[in-house]
Amino acid sequence: MSSSTTTPSRGAETLLKRYQRVRGFSRRLAEPLSPEDMQLQSMPDASPTKWHLAHTTWFFETFLLAPNLPGWTPPNPQFVYLYNSYYNAVGPQYSRPDRGKISRPSAAEVLDYRRAVDEGMQRLLESLGEERASEVRPLVQLGLNHEQQHQELILTDIKHALSFNPLFPAYREKEVQPAAPAHSSTWVDFEEAVVEIGHRGEGFCFDNELPRHRVLLLPFQLSSRLVSSGEYLEFIQDGGYQRPELWLSEGWATCLEQRWKAPLYWRRSEEGWQQFTLGGLRPVEPAEPVVHVSYFEADAYARWAGGRLATEFEWEHAAASLPVEGNFAESERLHSAPASAGGLTQLFGDAWEWTSSSYGPYPRYRPAPGAVGEYNGKFMCNQYVLRGGSCATSRDHVRASYRNFFPAPARWQFSGIRLARS
Amino acid sequence: MSSSTTTPSRGAETLLKRYQRVRGFSRRLAEPLSPEDMQLQSMPDASPTKWHLAHTTWFFETFLLAPNLPGWTPPNPQFVYLYNSYYNAVGPQYSRPDRGKISRPSAAEVLDYRRAVDEGMQRLLESLGEERASEVRPLVQLGLNHEQQHQELILTDIKHALSFNPLFPAYREKEVQPAAPAHSSTWVDFEEAVVEIGHRGEGFCFDNELPRHRVLLLPFQLSSRLVSSGEYLEFIQDGGYQRPELWLSEGWATCLEQRWKAPLYWRRSEEGWQQFTLGGLRPVEPAEPVVHVSYFEADAYARWAGGRLATEFEWEHAAASLPVEGNFAESERLHSAPASAGGLTQLFGDAWEWTSSSYGPYPRYRPAPGAVGEYNGKFMCNQYVLRGGSCATSRDHVRASYRNFFPAPARWQFSGIRLARS
Amino acid sequence: MSSSTTTPSRGAETLLKRYQRVRGFSRRLAEPLSPEDMQLQSMPDASPTKWHLAHTTWFFETFLLAPNLPGWTPPNPQFVYLYNSYYNAVGPQYSRPDRGKISRPSAAEVLDYRRAVDEGMQRLLESLGEERASEVRPLVQLGLNHEQQHQELILTDIKHALSFNPLFPAYREKEVQPAAPAHSSTWVDFEEAVVEIGHRGEGFCFDNELPRHRVLLLPFQLSSRLVSSGEYLEFIQDGGYQRPELWLSEGWATCLEQRWKAPLYWRRSEEGWQQFTLGGLRPVEPAEPVVHVSYFEADAYARWAGGRLATEFEWEHAAASLPVEGNFAESERLHSAPASAGGLTQLFGDAWEWTSSSYGPYPRYRPAPGAVGEYNGKFMCNQYVLRGGSCATSRDHVRASYRNFFPAPARWQFSGIRLARS
Amino acid sequence: MSSSTTTPSRGAETLLKRYQRVRGFSRRLAEPLSPEDMQLQSMPDASPTKWHLAHTTWFFETFLLAPNLPGWTPPNPQFVYLYNSYYNAVGPQYSRPDRGKISRPSAAEVLDYRRAVDEGMQRLLESLGEERASEVRPLVQLGLNHEQQHQELILTDIKHALSFNPLFPAYREKEVQPAAPAHSSTWVDFEEAVVEIGHRGEGFCFDNELPRHRVLLLPFQLSSRLVSSGEYLEFIQDGGYQRPELWLSEGWATCLEQRWKAPLYWRRSEEGWQQFTLGGLRPVEPAEPVVHVSYFEADAYARWAGGRLATEFEWEHAAASLPVEGNFAESERLHSAPASAGGLTQLFGDAWEWTSSSYGPYPRYRPAPGAVGEYNGKFMCNQYVLRGGSCATSRDHVRASYRNFFPAPARWQFSGIRLARS
């Protein structure tokens, strides 16, 4: 009892290092931003950077420090209300669309809050014996994966917010090397099989990836790479946004109502098509995978191209044996990159791939008990599954069984298209 | 060439009889209604009776008479615009939410239009040789099934419209025998199996029931009957409409926004719970299956009851071997009825059963070519599949492979709940 | 015959005749309409013909028969709720935008209701002695003037409703003689003066025309006639609907949002400008006064033309000495007609004239006591005064002191423009 | 120093000092605010502090420096688009409701912009000869009065924005002395008279205060002071917010829809009524004039109290002979203060007084030529006139003929109530 509280156990030490690395990446993402940038909220679905930084910290305070660290005193008791996002079981929440109306606490105060919680977490993780460590480890892992999700949102939300500025400011200036031409795509064959779907093994996963279960797949083919911007331009030039027969009924209504003419952030100028990126305004590069398309656009494109979207099961089966490698947030390109040649490429990174699967529970699915059980299950309606991560996702956050989900009209994520066919 | 065009072939004769029977049922459904009733439109999703009567007739005129009957002259050329509902390939359509603003043509003129088209159809069907008959038969069958769908909508839409009238007028007065008490429900077991899903055989089906294909089902159980109003009352009394943890996130938002406290048409009065029916205001009968619940309510009830909704594949597998028998529109009860004892009951009739399956295409699905191809495929997004038909469905319209679909918040159909569990 | 209660007094007799004449005109207005027409409601501000017929009858039942006729039994007690429009003091009201959703009572039942109340009113008016008659006379007069207002609304509301029908049905077919060319307009001078404004004398007036009071007018000029459709076409052709500098800020926003390009009911076709009238689709006649313009359009036209709208005091001063003559509903032209030559014309009839005066109370204004006090005063905000009556107004309904009022964007009344200048 | 172009003329010198004083006050108002505060926009009608600081600067750059200062180079050419508010004649404008989405330029860059323009203005004003000075003086005066209007908006907009923060942050902490009890109000009599209305004399005025003209006033009385919070509490306690008969029809609908229960910023807590002020949350002080009420509430209160609102002419006549003294922004109380005893008090300062007058043009009104002519005239519709200035107005900005105007539902200004009666 004496030494176990002072000598950090090996498991806790590793967890602490991971904690510090992941948490540090959030701060790094905020570095290019001014206090004013960090307060921007451009739509109800997006949140200010400052809010992301505080909310992820609130998670560790609420679920780890408050119940587990003796003597922990909340540095800012009001933050419980301000930075609870949707956990009904924890209490009421500040109105989501009004998050951009909070100027105080300032960004500096939020960073102080992060430091205080990080110190508390260090104390907690260093003080745990092996037994307690294995008890809290799952929640810390959940908190870190939660933080990584918000890291991606920091990028997609600030991109959306800055896009309203007619000066087209860059999130950060960065040289992007000229894109190589896109390789031709080929079809990769898959045989009929009963396959196992869902997370397997020891590592972390979200509850929606479980239970692992068997699914019967009929024969199918997947394209060897993502649809490129050049291919998508052909769709536009062939009247893709003017032909209702290519679209789902609700998609066509959305297209008309939102006056979609191209992917989000594309604009036609005198010099041709341009796109707003995290590095400012740049030409549309034909070889780069198209990003920022909705499910409706992905579905319409696939119909136009004579294919379809894959189911999430087909996708997972194809990805299960591949290494998790690709163009992720760590590269700091923060934009999709042309596919390299050969084989089945770009399954991980570059762009989240819309699947035709409506987001629902796996057989015998049970949400985690307690407040963290609100994480996934209650959103299993009217959303579509995306797979594989994007150029704004951390590489160690994603895996073959990972299920992302967004409503069909959503376009502000780095979402793209891969063709399938039967 | 001489006799074949004048002697009706046996196939066409049968088709003509069916044509006359189905078409006659539409007129019969309209009989209790005044010209003013027939013009009511109470929401954009519902249509006036008069419009249903005209639109179904337009289908036969447009797809059968115009291309096939020599010398056919449209009795009212403007009806093409007024009564085209959503076939983009046929041309522009009159604004859907404004259908209730059309007082002319009158109901009488629409009935005249029906008669003219029915005469044309009789001439067409009597004049066809065997070869031509087999060519047009699928379209006539499609038209008749289309008409049957609109017959159900005539009932659900007029119920919705009359419910706005504070005098609670009955669609038609009819003695309803007092309900017997509900039998206890039991669980019926199903083994793991690879099953065939989708329509098989010769008869008519919609394109969304094809292709027939194999699906792997894991073991599951189905409740022997539909959830009764009495059981649903327990859910209400247990705070079902006040507890967010029972609901999908979008469901809970809808519940709050729409101020749902009970199924559509239920109202609490001094004498207890009452419900508006096609026979006027009546007490809620505990033994009758609950109807007019949304997907969100069905899902929340199932969670509360410790079960779940079935997938559409589980449902179809369970129903495939059962006869299509039950409480259908032909009984003219036009309300759900208590289950009889024993076995797996009420799969057909009484209430459409919400499944947990998002409405999507079967593997290798291809819409029918031409305008009729707009019938199903373009709605395969953000809708949930319902199975089995209701007390407002014609018995010969439904079958085990039949897929109905509505958005999750829809409540004006006779939609109910059957529990499943893994 | 002997006693004062059985011999009708001379005053009551006259009142009864007027009652019958005014009430009969409502029925006459409904004659060209089918039961389906009479149920149309095309926007929340408009009401079905059937509702107008019932609501005006409800007024007599509620304010005259119920309190004054011994033994009166309401033929339809539920009508109190259904046909109360806005008298909070009388009780709750059926939702205004849902009036078109009431198919029962039928038009025939409403006409029966009118007959029952008319018989009651006859009994009441015949049974009153002189003393009682002078007590109830003001309320009967109010009821008849109220009915005349709704007669005008019957015409404007059915015109609006029928305009949604792509078949452009006529309210009633009527030969309209070709319009004579418009005479040139001239300016009529008025000197500075302190004038009396408001109703004077014995006859009926609404409470908003009182008290009569003095107002100082500075010198001004009025145009000798209404602005013609031909003149308004010049405004359109000069970019009137594309130049924000001609418009009030709120007017311009409304113009953009509503996509106004011309007066309501005008449409450009291959044969030139056409207008939907109560007689169906007709060419725009340059000599006829323009009608169906909003306050915003009237104001913008006046600015374009180098003039302004008159104040309601200037208008009343100009009209005070003129006879109430013009193109009224009795002519059954039901459309504006070209001005005749000479002097100050068209002040009465043809088109309600927008004034620049916001609708407010006269000094020392007091609403009538009781429920009828809700008639006018509570609307004195964000509305503009119109003067003089239109081709849909009864001649004996209007007078120089009469104040009509509508919100600035309203266009479905027969509202037109007369220029003034200082 | 010798020639007329290098020696500043006496008139220009005075103007420069005024320029520096007024411009300096804007910076002083921004001092308590962080960069994040200065970016807040809480509704489309309000703007960020940063925007106010930039837009007022844009005015001087666009209308003074660009046309008049040789060699002037815009420091930030894009600001013309970003900070033009509504001058259609100057060009397109950035979307008003999105002003809070502009994080760059930062607050610091906007202050740099102010400095650059201030230096330019100093050079311009010092370089002008007498003749040119008298030409540009009116525009400089307009710019400074424009700036003072935005100074008031800086205060009312930041108050509105901070009120969304559940931490109730103070704009700036300041000791407010306890309020003295309110003196009883008395009625002050005014005789019938023809009075002159509108600006007279040499000093600056807006175009909407002209031309001066005669108006006939009937006898009236004004209350000696503003309605106090204590008196307004009696209205609340007497059911003022529950009784439709006290309200204008549109006011009642607004009250229900917005769920008004008290003035904006009032909240009932366990310790009684509190109000959010620029100094944070404070108790409601009965002696202080009520502020932050809409026209609808002012009108309902007056009806409840047996009085009415004054016309703007009555108000101006009463105020014309009084000195412009009272509780203005210079006192930095930034909240209303109890009336002192005796005579007609509080006409200036404390609270803008709603009048019953709809905002319209004076006889023979002509907007100023050019872009600055868009300042006033185009808003003369559906707004009500307020008079006298408030505790957030600069004293040298207001005068007896000054006409402020807001739509009837507006509550975020320091708007209050004075009773009148005939």
Side-chain angles (χ1 to χ4, degrees), chain A residues 57-84:
Chain A
T57 304
W58 165 91
F59 186 101
F60 288 107
E61 182 185 14
T62 302
F63 295 120
L64 275 303
L65 295 185
N68 293 309
L69 186 63
W72 171 257
T73 312
N76 305 76
Q78 314 98 322
F79 287 8
V80 172
Y81 172 74
L82 266 179
Y83 296 122
N84 176 12

Side-chain angles (χ1 to χ4, degrees), chain A residues 67-148:
Chain A
N68 293 309
L69 186 63
W72 171 257
T73 312
N76 305 76
Q78 314 98 322
F79 287 8
V80 172
Y81 172 74
L82 266 179
Y83 296 122
N84 176 12
S85 62
Y86 58 81
Y87 296 88
N88 290 308
V90 174
Q93 305 114 39
Y94 181 71
S95 157
R96 177 172 189 142
D98 291 327
R99 288 175 185 165
K101 293 179 185 160
I102 299 297
S103 58
R104 310 181 198 176
S106 65
E109 288 170 299
V110 164
L111 291 176
D112 287 346
Y113 174 50
R114 285 184 73 87
R115 265 186 294 272
V117 168
D118 285 350
E119 286 164 18
M121 283 298 295
Q122 179 164 359
R123 267 189 290 146
L124 174 66
L125 294 179
E126 286 177 348
S127 68
L128 290 174
E130 185 63 45
E131 195 179 348
R132 285 293 285 144
S134 67
E135 281 172 38
V136 306
R137 185 177 297 117
L139 260 176
V140 177
Q141 289 289 14
L142 180 61
L144 293 176
N145 277 277
H146 173 252
E147 180 118 7
Q148 289 180 315

Side-chain angles (χ1 to χ4, degrees), chain D residues 63-121:
Chain D
F63 295 119
L64 275 302
L65 296 185
N68 294 307
L69 185 64
W72 171 258
T73 312
N76 306 75
Q78 314 98 322
F79 287 9
V80 172
Y81 171 74
L82 267 180
Y83 296 123
N84 175 13
S85 61
Y86 57 82
Y87 296 88
N88 291 309
V90 173
Q93 305 113 40
Y94 181 70
S95 158
R96 175 171 192 145
D98 290 328
R99 287 175 186 167
K101 293 179 186 159
I102 299 297
S103 58
R104 310 184 198 174
S106 66
E109 288 170 301
V110 164
L111 291 177
D112 286 346
Y113 174 49
R114 285 184 73 87
R115 266 186 293 274
V117 167
D118 285 350
E119 286 166 17
M121 283 298 295

Side-chain angles (χ1 to χ4, degrees), chain D residues 16-32:
Chain D
L16 176 58
K17 277 191 184 151
R18 176 162 156 75
Y19 177 90
Q20 288 167 337
R21 178 172 54 79
V22 171
R23 294 277 291 169
F25 193 55
S26 297
R27 281 198 307 278
R28 181 180 166 88
L29 289 175
E31 270 164 21

